[in-house]
């Protein structure tokens, strides 16, 4: 078993919990994230040693933060200007944990909305009521429908979307709000770390697929200075993204005929972030805005997730290809590279290394993309 | 930097001081940002960022800067010594050569008028076609206008140098803006008398339009953020191009004059396009002098703003680089020029390959231009020669090579604290050097000192060449007494000869002068005496050398060693006994009697006397003004023989008083880094050392012949240590005796290693006698390691020693302080 842990180096807890196996430690300096270290297991008596090792590793970052100080800028968005929207369907137990972490946010958001997406019973409503959170119901199944319903009901200028299988880090709202440094920032995405690493598929998702990580550096993306091209997945993930309402209105919200709950099972977040950039907004990546996600625990779950990736990214490419002739040519070139690198080369390499699960993951993604292709030609 | 490949847009540049709060950056429509970070005036480096927001938020910038420069900052601030202010007193002349660029000239002169400290004079050499406009601009800023009608940048520079009155001449171009500290920082580099050239960092003033960005990416003027002092004895001089560019460089005026100026054939205005600046730096290195790259002297260059001009410039760079090397081959017949041309081809081929590689580091069109330029160099150089032959040259006023170490040391004002002169006895030990003794006597005769209070005693250790008769033939105002010791073989040695002289002397102060010296000023004797009247019981003066035309490597190395040695000695406050040199040394006669005179040893009798003086609590001083010039014997064999005698003497002395061992070169035994095997072998079999020296001596002229400077110097260092240790071996009966000596040193009661905190500069005081040869360096309560107390000839209370420690232990200190964060 692998322990995941947050440690603030500026206000260190003097005693750490026992980590029986490996420990993945996320180091913080106050509300700024520094990075992640993976170390062997330790006992509480070894706390000092662990802290020392961390300080050693992050000495330059700590020193840099202490020396280089930005002039205080007026925040464009205060934590109170944020609405948190959680879309859920028949997963009351997950939702309970999520709402628990949202309740502990410091500073708290302006409001929290739960969108009940055609749940089969009233357990969702009960959980929400226990946390005294407002529930909106979206009777038609589909994650993007639920998201659209959510932001249309929101009363604050920024909407932060969190999935029901995610756990927010305490400073999530503060960090996300900090990301909106200008009116041009249309969306802020954050870092997604594992909430637990109990089973092998969960670990494999982190180790082999690099989880949902996008690095520990703040980044600003736009169409000219820092374009992502077709690799919209570099912009962030739907488990942890915040939009300005103005930006959402301009891009027309989330596409309702794709995403979880439709035949094209995902990609609503990708499309929305891509469109935000296309509309002239800037997307900021804010690694200090951390959400911890419970990855699929079973092998079947992991493989189906990879298959959904294949379907949704393929459909994303299809949509781009239909935009213009030049785009079509570019998409074809990219698609060839994608199949070669991600599916052919990767599965072969994994086979050589004897990592069967990785081969299966690559093949699942490939099958997904082929499925989507077949559906399109049909 | 992968993001740069796909991005498009325009650049903004900004300079940020990290010691101040970071401000939001107004982008002015640009969306890419290049930030150059400084800490106060020290540059740390540049980073490039995508900056789609306007203004660019301070928090993003601070985050990127702190991540990128965190460790640099940390390292720099550990053990940071406050920078001594630029206090150069030398007169500086700024020379700006201009050709038909009135508006940028105006900008340049405006920045020059804001210099702090200001330059003594600013000379604008107009090489253009519109004299009246330029003259008006120059008048507006109160600079001097000089006209040079014939085109050629180097010709214009020569015209400027011929008009310059300062000791240091600083060159900049008309498309450059300098920062206020520029001139002061560059001038301060010349505090080291061996520095003949200094260059500064040149940043891009703007990267907009994009041609400027391309220019900066392809051929930046900056040479990095690390300060470098490059010694000509240490590098092949062809590397000059990496040390600076004409847009920000400075020279000692006299040095440029001694070259006869910049070569007319090279640089802008000629078909060769560039290269004159590099050539001048090459000459500095070739003469074995030093070049400093000082990144804190910051200037900003306005790059070419159209692609056509950029291509022409890059093509010119190629031509200039190759022409410079051709010029070396033709005018200097330097064999390394060939290797240089090979290097250039390798560099160009490398660039060409990289330009077509997927990462596209260089731009193919520019690479093509540069290659074409280099290919055209032979034709261009010929054309330049033709032009220069058809017209006369501008002479910058040819002058003798400067000796700044002599010219700039403190000159005595002949001040004497009281009218009551004590009686002074000058004692000159000699053997077989009649002409030198006579010369010294003639110089002493011209020194100011009351004749009735002065006696001169020449003590001849066996009169083998008629020295006595020679002295008596001299027609002198003073009346030297001659003492002749009866010795055919010279077995008495200098110590006994000096003691005999002292026996015969009647003065209150004894001044020992070697026969091959020449006092530099007529106040020489007064300077010695007034230091005694000021309370010192013993006074030593520096022995300078006059090796300005040193072509041979050995001469260059010895010159640099002596100049460094003396400069350090004068600058230091407390002096250890190793600073005493018996060649130019005066002592109170009572104190001399109390100590019992010089001890008879082959060498080191001077240090030993100094040691005895200090141990008895007498005051010993080095007086910079009591300087002499010495004739060095530039013979490798004699030089190595001296080392051998030193080794033998050091060993004999240490056998008597083991505690001195730690202050002698013998202490390098304890240096953990040195291999002890060689030392063991040499002590065991000193004859092996002779064979190694023989071999080395045969190899050295060969190395000099093919121009391998660095290898020559390494071999010289190696032979020095081989001779030294075989000298030790000769004096010692075997390895067992040596090891016994070492163990007795280890068990000395005061063998306590002093401890110093790296970041606390005040703890680094000098401590002359006690303790071991090592210092334990600490930081945040952790030991970082041991440092030898004399490191590279620096004693441990000097600032240079401290910065060496910080360089060496910086990383360890960072680690230690990482732990302290908690």
């Amino acid at each position: 078993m692998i322990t995941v842990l947050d440690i603030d180096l500026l206000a260190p807890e003097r005693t750490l919990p026992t980590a029986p196996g490996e420990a993945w430690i996320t180091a913080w300096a106050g509300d700024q994230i520094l990075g992640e270290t993976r170390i062997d297991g330790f006992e509480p008596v070894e706390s000092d040693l662990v802290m020392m090792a961390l300080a050693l590793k992050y000495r330059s970052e700590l020193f840099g933060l202490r020396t280089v100080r930005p002039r205080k800028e007026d925040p464009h968005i205060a934590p109170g200007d944020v609405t948190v929207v959680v879309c859920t369907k028949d997963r009351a137990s997950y939702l309970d944990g999520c709402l628990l972490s949202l309740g502990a946010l410091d500073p708290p958001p302006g409001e929290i909305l739960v969108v009940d997406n055609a749940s089969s019973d009233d357990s969702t409503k009960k959980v929400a009521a226990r946390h005294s959170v407002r529930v909106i119901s979206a009777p038609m199944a589909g994650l993007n429908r639920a998201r659209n319903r959510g932001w249309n009901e929101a009363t604050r200028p920024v909407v932060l979307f969190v999935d029901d299988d995610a756990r927010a880090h305490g400073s999530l709202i503060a960090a996300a709000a900090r990301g909106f440094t200008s009116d041009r920032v249309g969306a802020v995405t954050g870092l997604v770390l594992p909430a637990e690493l109990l089973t092998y598929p969960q670990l494999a998702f982190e180790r082999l697929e690099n989880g949902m990580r996008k690095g520990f550096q703040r980044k600003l993306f736009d169409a000219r200075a820092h374009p992502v091209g077709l690799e919209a997945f570099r912009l962030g993930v739907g488990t942890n993204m915040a939009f300005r309402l103005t930006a959402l209105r301009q891009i027309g919200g989330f596409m309702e005929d794709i995403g979880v709950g439709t035949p094209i099972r995902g990609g609503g977040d990708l499309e929305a972030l891509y469109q935000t950039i296309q509309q002239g907004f800037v997307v900021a990546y804010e690694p200090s805005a951390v959400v911890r996600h419970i990855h699929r625990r079973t092998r079947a779950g992991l493989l189906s997730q990879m298959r959904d990736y294949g379907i949704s990214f393929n459909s994303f490419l299809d949509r781009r290809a239909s935009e213009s002739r030049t785009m079509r040519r570019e998409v074809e070139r990219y698609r060839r590279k994608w199949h070669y690198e991600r599916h052919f080369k990767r599965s072969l390499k994994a086979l050589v290394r004897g990592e069967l699960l990785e081969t299966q993951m690559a093949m699942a993604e490939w099958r997904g993309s082929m499925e989507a292709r077949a559906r399109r030609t049909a | 930097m992968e993001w740069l490949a796909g991005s498009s847009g325009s650049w903004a540049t900004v300079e940020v001081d990290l010691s101040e709060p970071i401000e939001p950056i107004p982008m002015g429509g640009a969306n890419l940002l290049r930030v150059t970070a400084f800490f106060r005036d020290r540059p740390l480096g540049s980073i490039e960022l995508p900056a789609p927001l306007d203004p660019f938020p301070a928090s993003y910038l601070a985050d990127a800067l702190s991540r990128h420069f965190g460790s640099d900052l940390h390292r720099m601030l550990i053990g940071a010594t406050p920078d001594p202010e630029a206090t150069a007193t030398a007169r500086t002349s700024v020379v700006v050569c201009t050709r038909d660029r009135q508006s940028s000239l105006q900008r340049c002169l405006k920045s020059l008028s804001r210099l702090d400290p200001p330059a003594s004079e600013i000379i604008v050499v107009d090489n253009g076609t519109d004299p009246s406009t330029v003259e008006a601009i120059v008048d507006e800023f109160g600079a001097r206008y000089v006209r040079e009608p014939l085109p050629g940048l180097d010709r214009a520079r020569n015209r400027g140098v011929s008009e310059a009155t300062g000791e240091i001449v600083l060159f900049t171009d008309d498309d450059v803006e300098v920062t206020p500290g520029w001139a002061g920082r560059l001038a301060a580099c010349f505090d080291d008398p061996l520095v003949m050239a200094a260059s500064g960092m040149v940043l891009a003033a703007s990267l907009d339009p994009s041609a400027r960005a391309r220019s900066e990416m392809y051929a930046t003027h900056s040479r990095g953020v690390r300060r470098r002092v490059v010694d000509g004895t240490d590098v092949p001089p062809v590397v000059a191009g990496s040390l600076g560019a004409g847009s920000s460089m400075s020279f000692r005026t006299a040095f440029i004059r001694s070259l006869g100026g910049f070569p007319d054939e090279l640089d802008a205005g000629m078909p060769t396009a560039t290269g004159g600046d590099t050539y001048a730096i090459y000459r500095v290195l070739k003469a074995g002098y030093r070049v400093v790259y000082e990144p804190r002297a910051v200037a900003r260059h306005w790059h070419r703003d159209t692609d056509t001009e950029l291509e022409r410039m890059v093509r010119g760079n190629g031509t200039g680089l190759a022409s410079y090397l051709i010029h070396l081959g033709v005018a200097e017949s330097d064999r390394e020029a060939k290797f240089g041309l090979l290097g250039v081809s390798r560099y160009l081929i490398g660039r060409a390959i990289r330009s077509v590689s997927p990462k596209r580091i260089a731009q193919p069109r520019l690479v093509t231009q540069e290659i074409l330029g280099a290919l055209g160099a032979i034709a261009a150089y010929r054309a330049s020669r033709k032009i220069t032959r058809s017209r006369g040259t501008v002479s910058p006023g040819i002058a003798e090579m400067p000796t700044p170490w002599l010219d700039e040391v403190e000159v005595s004002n002949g001040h004497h604290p009281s009218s009551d002169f004590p009686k002074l006895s000058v004692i000159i030990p000699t053997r077989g050097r009649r002409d030198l003794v006579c010369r010294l006597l003639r110089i002493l005769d011209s020194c100011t000192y009351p004749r009735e209070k002065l006696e001169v005693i020449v003590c001849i250790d066996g009169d083998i060449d008629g020295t006595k008769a020679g002295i008596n033939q001299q027609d002198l105002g003073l009346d030297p007494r001659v003492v002749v010791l009866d010795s055919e073989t010279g077995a008495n040695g200098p110590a006994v000869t000096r003691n005999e002289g002292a026996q015969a002397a009647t003065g209150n102060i004894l001044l020992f002068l070697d026969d091959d010296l020449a006092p530099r000023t007529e106040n020489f004797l007064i300077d010695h005496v007034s230091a005694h009247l000021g309370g010192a019981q013993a006074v030593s003066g520096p022995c300078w050398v006059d090796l300005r035309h040193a072509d041979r490597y050995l001469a260059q190395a010895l010159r640099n060693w002596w100049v460094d040695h003396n400069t350090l000695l004068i600058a230091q406050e407390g002096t250890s006994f190793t600073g005493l040199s018996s060649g130019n040394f005066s002592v109170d006669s009572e104190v001399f009697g109390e100590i019992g005179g010089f001890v008879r040893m082959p060498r080191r009798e001077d240090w030993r006397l100094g040691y005895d003086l200090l141990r008895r609590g007498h005051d010993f001083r080095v007086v910079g003004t009591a300087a002499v010039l010495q004739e060095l014997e530039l013979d490798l064999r004699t030089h190595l023989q001296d080392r051998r005698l030193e080794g033998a003497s050091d060993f004999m002395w240490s056998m008597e008083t083991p505690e001195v061992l730690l202050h002698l070169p013998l202490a390098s035994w304890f240096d953990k880094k040195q291999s002890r095997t060689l030392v063991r072998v040499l002590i065991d079999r000193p004859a092996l050392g002779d064979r190694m020296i023989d071999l080395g001596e045969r190899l050295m002229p060969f190395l000099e012949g093919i121009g391998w400077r660095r290898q020559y110097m390494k071999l010289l260092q190696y032979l020095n240590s081989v001779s030294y240790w075989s000298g030790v071996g000769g004096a010692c009966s075997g390895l067992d005796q040596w090891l016994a000596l070492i163990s007795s040193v280890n068990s000395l009661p005061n063998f306590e290693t002093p401890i110093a905190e790296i970041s606390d500069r005040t703890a680094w005081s000098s401590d002359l006698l006690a303790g071991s040869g090592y210092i334990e360096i600490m930081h945040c309560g952790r030991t970082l390691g041991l440092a030898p107390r004399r490191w590279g000839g620096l004693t441990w209370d000097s600032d240079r020693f401290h910065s060496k420690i910080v360089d060496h232990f910086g990383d360890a200190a960072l680690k230690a302080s990482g732990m302290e964060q908690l």
Side-chain angles (χ1 to χ4, degrees), chain B residues 36-361:
Chain B
T36 306
F38 287 76
F39 191 83
R40 306 222 169 83
D41 64 345
R42 210 183 279 246
L44 295 166
S46 301
I47 53 174
E48 283 88 25
L49 293 169
L53 299 176
D54 189 3
F56 190 60
S59 63
Y60 273 95
L61 189 57
D63 191 62
L65 289 170
S66 72
R67 274 184 194 267
H68 202 272
F69 295 112
S71 62
D72 290 338
L73 271 174
H74 198 177
R75 207 189 153 107
M76 200 180 80
L77 293 178
I78 283 176
T81 44
D83 284 323
E85 276 310 300
T87 52
T89 49
R91 282 175 53 80
T92 49
S93 306
V94 179
V95 173
V96 185
C97 303
T98 182
R99 183 178 166 82
D100 297 341
R101 280 198 285 208
Q102 279 82 349
S103 61
S104 55
L105 176 67
Q106 210 154 12
R107 200 165 47 200
C108 172
L109 289 176
K110 196 168 176 187
S111 73
L112 284 172
S113 67
R114 293 203 200 107
L115 282 178
D116 176 35
S120 310
E121 58 177 354
I122 297 168
I123 301 169
V124 178
V125 186
D126 180 17
N127 206 202
T129 50
D130 185 9
S132 53
T133 333
V134 177
E135 194 162 6
I137 295 170
V138 173
D139 281 347
E140 182 193 334
F141 289 99
R144 261 171 75 197
Y145 176 85
V146 178
R147 172 122 183 95
E148 171 50 54
L150 293 177
L153 176 55
D154 269 359
R155 194 181 173 87
R157 282 183 184 141
N158 285 342
R159 173 72 69 203
V161 174
S162 70
E163 299 284 331
T165 58
E167 291 102 72
I168 292 161
V169 56
L170 301 107
F171 292 98
T172 185
D173 291 343
D174 53 3
D175 50 0
V176 169
E177 269 179 284
V178 300
T179 50
W182 177 73
R185 281 286 174 206
L186 282 181
C189 297
F190 291 91
D191 285 350
D192 178 350
L194 289 171
V195 170
M196 292 289 162
S199 65
M201 185 166 82
V202 183
L203 299 173
S206 162
L207 295 178
D208 182 50
S210 61
R212 287 202 170 120
R214 276 194 283 283
S215 173
E216 178 66 12
M217 302 295 161
Y218 188 81
T220 176
H221 285 227
S222 165
R223 300 290 190 270
V225 293
R226 274 188 79 92
R227 183 188 153 98
R228 286 193 291 160
V229 181
V230 174
D231 202 309
T233 59
D234 210 32
V235 293
V238 200
V239 303
S242 65
L243 291 173
S247 39
S248 166
M249 63 175 185
S250 56
F251 294 92
R252 281 188 204 275
T253 318
F255 183 83
I256 290 294
R257 291 198 173 129
S258 78
L259 294 185
F262 293 86
D264 245 8
E265 292 90 337
L266 298 178
D267 233 315
M270 286 282 139
T272 46
T274 58
D277 43 357
T278 318
Y279 177 76
I281 293 176
Y282 162 87
R283 286 297 296 266
V284 173
L285 292 177
K286 193 175 183 217
Y289 291 111
R290 289 183 188 149
V291 179
V292 180
Y293 171 66
E294 173 56 273
R296 279 179 291 172
V298 180
R300 302 189 191 93
H301 183 257
W302 290 84
H303 294 330
R304 306 281 181 280
D305 57 358
T306 62
D307 278 317
T308 339
E309 276 187 277
L310 170 61
E311 277 170 28
R312 212 176 56 210
M313 183 204 81
V314 169
R315 191 173 184 143
N317 282 355
T319 315
L321 188 54
S323 307
Y324 148 73
L325 291 164
I326 294 170
H327 186 68
L328 297 196
V330 173
E332 302 276 321
S333 37
D334 188 325
R335 332 170 37 126
E336 289 209 29
K338 272 179 279 179
F339 298 113
L341 281 172
L342 274 180
V344 169
S345 356
R346 209 175 58 189
Y347 150 82
L348 286 175
I349 291 168
R351 270 213 149 158
I353 290 171
R354 271 180 295 160
S355 73
V356 293
S357 82
K359 281 187 189 158
R360 292 282 174 96
I361 291 163

Side-chain angles (χ1 to χ4, degrees), chain B residues 42 129 173 184 192 195 228 295 297 306 390 430 499 536 545 557 559 579 615 623 659 806:
Chain B
R42 210 183 279 246
T129 50
D173 291 343
D192 178 350
V195 170
R228 286 193 291 160
T306 62
S390 67
T430 180
N499 286 342
V545 290
R559 173 193 66 204
R615 205 174 43 172
V623 176
E659 70 261 28
V806 173

Side-chain angles (χ1 to χ4, degrees), chain B residues 385-462:
Chain B
R385 286 285 278 228
K386 213 166 166 184
I387 297 172
T388 47
R389 262 200 225 117
S390 67
R391 65 188 199 193
T393 50
V394 172
S395 160
I398 294 180
E400 184 53 87
M401 182 87 94
T403 47
W405 54 94
L406 296 179
D407 303 338
E408 283 166 24
V409 292
E410 199 186 339
V411 176
S412 155
N413 53 10
H415 175 71
H416 172 48
S418 88
S419 57
D420 189 19
F421 286 95
K423 183 152 190 199
L424 174 68
S425 306
V426 181
I427 298 158
I428 306 169
T430 180
R431 175 179 166 82
R433 294 206 258 195
R434 188 179 59 189
D435 298 340
L436 285 175
V437 176
C438 294
R439 188 189 65 159
L440 175 56
L441 287 172
R442 279 199 301 279
I443 297 171
L444 279 178
D445 195 28
S446 63
C447 283
T448 324
Y449 206 80
R451 286 291 175 268
E452 69 281 3
K453 293 289 176 87
L454 177 68
E455 68 172 351
V456 177
I457 299 165
V458 180
C459 201
I460 305 170
D461 184 16

Side-chain angles (χ1 to χ4, degrees), chain A residues 121-341:
Chain A
D121 54 17
D122 60 349
S123 57
T124 305
K125 289 200 176 67
K126 275 184 192 156
V127 169
R130 200 176 335 127
H131 291 280
S132 43
V133 170
R134 200 178 134 207
V135 183
I136 313 157
S137 62
M140 285 267 279
L143 176 56
N144 287 348
R145 286 201 183 91
R147 281 179 179 150
N148 282 343
R149 183 94 176 79
W151 71 261
N152 277 313
E153 290 290 324
T155 57
R156 315 290 151 123
V158 166
V159 194
L160 175 77
F161 295 96
V162 174
D163 286 356
D164 53 4
D165 51 1
R167 309 283 176 260
H169 185 267
S171 59
L172 171 70
I173 302 299
R178 222 168 38 218
F180 288 94
T181 43
S182 142
D183 292 338
R184 275 199 65 212
V185 178
V188 170
T189 59
L191 177 62
V192 181
L193 294 172
E196 54 172 38
L197 292 164
L198 299 174
T199 66
Y200 183 66
Q202 286 182 328
L203 179 62
F205 184 62
E206 280 293 328
R207 280 247 173 93
L208 308 174
E209 187 65 24
N210 208 15
M212 300 173 174
R213 290 149 193 278
K214 313 289 172 200
F216 292 95
Q217 277 204 25
R218 296 172 89 177
K219 288 171 200 157
L220 292 172
F221 296 96
D222 82 333
R224 274 167 61 75
H226 195 178
V228 289
L230 292 167
E231 299 182 332
F233 50 83
R234 279 163 54 194
L235 297 172
V237 280
T239 320
N240 181 9
M241 59 180 183
F243 284 89
R244 252 180 224 281
L245 282 184
T246 48
L248 278 176
R249 277 191 205 110
Q250 203 166 328
I251 63 171
F254 295 89
M255 268 177 89
E256 298 204 345
D257 47 355
I258 61 168
V260 180
T262 68
I264 297 164
R265 292 182 257 173
D269 49 349
L270 222 61
E271 185 69 25
L273 289 170
Y274 182 80
Q275 289 302 342
T276 310
I277 284 202
Q278 292 308 98
Q279 294 296 326
F281 287 103
V282 171
V283 172
Y285 172 64
E286 200 60 48
S288 301
V290 169
V291 150
R292 289 191 175 273
H293 180 253
I294 303 172
H295 301 328
R296 310 290 170 94
R297 288 184 182 153
T298 60
R299 180 176 282 249
L302 174 61
L303 292 181
S304 90
Q305 187 185 353
M306 295 307 292
R307 192 168 138 256
D308 294 351
Y309 274 3
I311 297 173
S312 59
F313 191 62
N314 195 66
S315 77
F316 172 80
L317 290 180
D318 285 345
R319 284 194 296 278
R320 298 290 82 74
S322 63
E323 276 172 7
S324 70
R325 280 182 82 89
T326 46
M327 271 311 252
R328 159 169 260 122
R329 228 170 292 135
E330 202 176 313
V331 166
E332 283 320 310
R333 204 180 312 131
Y334 185 79
R335 210 196 294 266
R336 274 198 296 278
K337 189 178 143 208
W338 182 52
H339 285 317
Y340 174 69
E341 299 268 340

